[in-house]
Amino acid sequence: MNQFYKNLALWLIIGLIMVGLFQAFNGARALDRNIVYSDFIRSVNQGQVSEVLVQGDNIRGRYLNGKVFQTFAPKDPSLISTLRNKGVRISAEPAEQNLWYMNLLMSWFPMLVLIGVWIFFMRQMHVGGSKALSFGKSKARLVSEPDKKKVTFKDVAGVEEAKDELVEIVEFLRDPPKFTRLGARIPKGVLLVGPPGTGKTLLARSIAGEADVPFFQSSGSGFVEMFVGVGASRVRDLFEQGKTNAPCIVFIDEIDAVGRHRGAGLGGGHDEREQTLNQLLVEMDGFESNDGVILIAATNRPDVLDPALLRPGRFDRQIVVSLPDIKGRLKILQVHVKDIPLDDSVDLKLIARGTPRFSGADLANLLNESALIAAVRGKNSVEMADLTEAKDKVLMGKERRSLVLSEKEKENTAYHEAGHALVSLFTPGTDPVEKVTIIPRGFSLGSTWSFPEEDRYSENRTYLRNQLTILMGGRAAEILVFDEMTTGAKQDIQSSTEIARNMVCEWGMSDELGPLAYGKKNEQIFLGRELSQSRDYSDSIALTIDKEVKELVTTAYDRAMKLLEDNRAKLDLLAHALLEYETLDKDEISTLLETGEVSSALKKKFENIRNEASSEPSSDQGAPPRTQKGGPRPSSPDLAPGQA
């Protein structure tokens, strides 16, 4: 929009100049009033003319009222005497020499100016990457950050192995002879591979910050346009800029947008994207390693890249930027809390342990949400309670306390979540239960959260069977208590079925079928592969697969039902506590199951919250009180009676 206003202002200035030139050449004559000679003589005889200027055959004069005029005088010998007799002031000058070339210049000068302005703008349109007609110019942006904003390796945490591999790149850019004297060849291209949010782009920026070299940043989608040949031209221009500013780093983010498999799709392989990819392959082969130009690309879809792009000599090195482990998450949290005031109650180690499979971006978002929560509540620092609430919000969504549930639905939800928690607690080898709640969040009416005590990268068959049992705990509790099924177990059934099918078809955990993989996943159409899934097993094997999957799930259901039947009293106790207090953490659950009562701290906390809520005027005075088995139950915190 700023460029638009600049162009508009420029055109306005040009227009004003043209108007001024026109007025300068024609304004003076336009002010004169042309009259016939007889009217001029009549005005002289009537004494209306004050002065005249005689210039050859042209006469210019002024009336007594100040108006000017001009006329052409014939050869009249008595004119001068007539003017003298009437007292007219007479001035005389020699006749103007009207040169032909001056007349031509005066006539064509405005047109010449317009032609010159047009040529100037057309030349400007073809120069520079941001001009209107410069389609073939690269849109890469030269990143030049000030020292206070420069990103270095100390600003990147949780990816220590990736940083170690990139140190070689930095050392080469700082001191190329150190490597070339030994015949070493630095990789031409480095491909950063990893899930979204793990810090691939940040790593590339840190390399530029450490090496203190020009850093050209572009995206894969910036090469492909609707015009044929534009992408290839932009690739050529990008590498030309890199060679001009060598040593430098050329970074292409989301390279899968332009580097997908060739020959893909239904419309043939000669499209603009493939031409761009071909040019990229040629350019990566065209420059030598001692040019000091290093290409770094990032993607989270390495499986869709063309094999020719990944061969040695192009992208020589692939660096995996994986999700951080518990130590990495702790370091990431320590980096992001530099500008966030923390309360003494905050334990970053506990937050790092409770956030498995979180990326760096997820952790940054978690801290930002906690800071927003603390700011809304008027706090001067972020407390542990704010971080816990922010984690719950990020994982499950914001609390939907305005959602009105019937007493039957709340009771069913309480027993459902109690079933999950109790089966998890009494099944050995499972992840410990961190929290159970019946407060609706997102699309869920309740949640049971379990986090591993340490990072886990593979699971055995026993652990997976235990997970199936925990998933079936909610449905088993509903059948046991109410002898009825609800749709609340939809997600549990889908997850358990998927796990069981993977155990049979992908992980080879079926005793009857053995360690074999069955079935191929559907391939995407843009990869140029088959549209339909090919089944590489017989109909009898398909029946066996269905039988094995069903057996795994039903066995888990029977285990969950047997466990809940044996601990029915504890199931009722836990469900009633959830109906009373809505949310229980692991310590409160442990105290409840050991003593039969919740802790005094939870009672006191809930009593304070309830007193604060009752002191405020309620908009639902006529709502019926909520009841449960065994007598009336107090209202939930922050809610009017009858709401959940």
Side-chain angles (χ1 to χ4, degrees), residues 325-357:
D325 56 9
I326 184 171
K327 295 181 180 179
R329 294 195 295 271
L330 179 59
K331 293 181 179 180
I332 293 174
L333 291 172
Q334 292 172 348
V335 170
H336 288 293
V337 298
K338 291 180 179 179
D339 299 328
I340 299 178
L342 298 180
D343 188 75
D344 295 337
S345 62
V346 175
D347 187 359
L348 293 181
K349 293 182 179 179
L350 186 60
I351 297 297
R353 188 184 71 83
T355 52
R357 298 179 293 278

Side-chain angles (χ1 to χ4, degrees), residues 235-484:
V235 171
R236 289 191 295 269
D237 183 72
L238 174 61
F239 281 90
E240 288 177 1
Q241 293 184 42
K243 293 177 183 179
T244 304
N245 296 273
C248 69
I249 293 176
V250 177
F251 176 64
I252 302 178
D253 200 6
E254 305 296 343
I255 195 173
D256 52 277
V258 70
R260 296 182 185 271
H261 282 266
R262 288 171 292 180
L266 300 176
H270 300 285
D271 58 0
E272 171 65 8
R273 181 184 58 79
E274 291 197 3
Q275 294 184 26
T276 305
L277 175 58
N278 291 335
Q279 185 63 41
L280 179 62
L281 297 176
V282 172
E283 292 291 338
M284 294 187 69
D285 277 339
F287 68 87
E288 301 294 335
S289 60
N290 56 10
D291 286 341
V293 181
I294 296 178
L295 178 63
I296 300 178
T299 181
N300 53 18
R301 294 292 309 278
D303 56 311
V304 305
L305 296 179
D306 193 275
L309 194 63
L310 303 177
R311 73 161 177 82
R314 287 175 176 144
F315 281 112
D316 302 88
R317 183 174 298 181
Q318 296 187 28
I319 300 178
V320 179
V321 187
S322 58
L323 293 173
D325 56 9
I326 184 171
K327 295 181 180 179
R329 294 195 295 271
L330 179 59
K331 293 181 179 180
I332 293 174
L333 291 172
Q334 292 172 348
V335 170
H336 288 293
V337 298
K338 291 180 179 179
D339 299 328
I340 299 178
L342 298 180
D343 188 75
D344 295 337
S345 62
V346 175
D347 187 359
L348 293 181
K349 293 182 179 179
L350 186 60
I351 297 297
R353 188 184 71 83
T355 52
R357 298 179 293 278
F358 269 50
S359 66
D362 295 331
L363 295 173
N365 182 51
L366 172 64
L367 292 174
N368 183 64
E369 288 289 345
S370 63
L372 293 175
I373 293 173
V376 170
R377 295 175 177 175
K379 299 180 180 180
N380 296 323
S381 60
V382 177
E383 301 176 357
M384 191 66 182
D386 302 323
L387 284 166
T388 303
E389 184 175 346
K391 184 179 70 173
D392 297 344
K393 181 180 179 181
V394 170
L395 289 173
M396 299 296 298
K398 187 177 177 58
E399 292 182 355
R400 299 164 58 198
R401 290 188 175 274
S402 60
L403 182 64
V404 180
L405 298 178
S406 64
E407 290 300 317
K408 185 64 176 177
E409 288 178 316
K410 280 185 68 71
E411 190 176 16
N412 187 88
T413 303
Y415 272 99
H416 184 99
E417 300 303 330
H420 284 308
L422 204 63
V423 171
S424 180
L425 290 171
F426 288 95
T427 302
T430 60
D431 300 329
V433 177
E434 293 289 333
K435 181 183 292 186
V436 184
T437 181
I438 60 172
I439 299 176
R441 288 181 177 270
F443 296 100
S444 176
L445 299 180
S447 307
T448 301
W449 298 331
S450 300
F451 296 112
E453 295 181 344
E454 58 184 11
D455 291 328
R456 182 182 293 106
Y457 303 100
S458 63
E459 293 87 13
N460 53 44
R461 184 165 64 171
T462 301
Y463 176 82
L464 293 173
R465 286 181 172 177
N466 292 337
Q467 290 298 112
L468 294 176
T469 305
I470 296 173
L471 290 171
M472 289 292 104
R475 168 58 62 89
E478 295 176 5
I479 299 296
L480 177 63
V481 178
F482 305 106
D483 194 23
E484 186 62 79

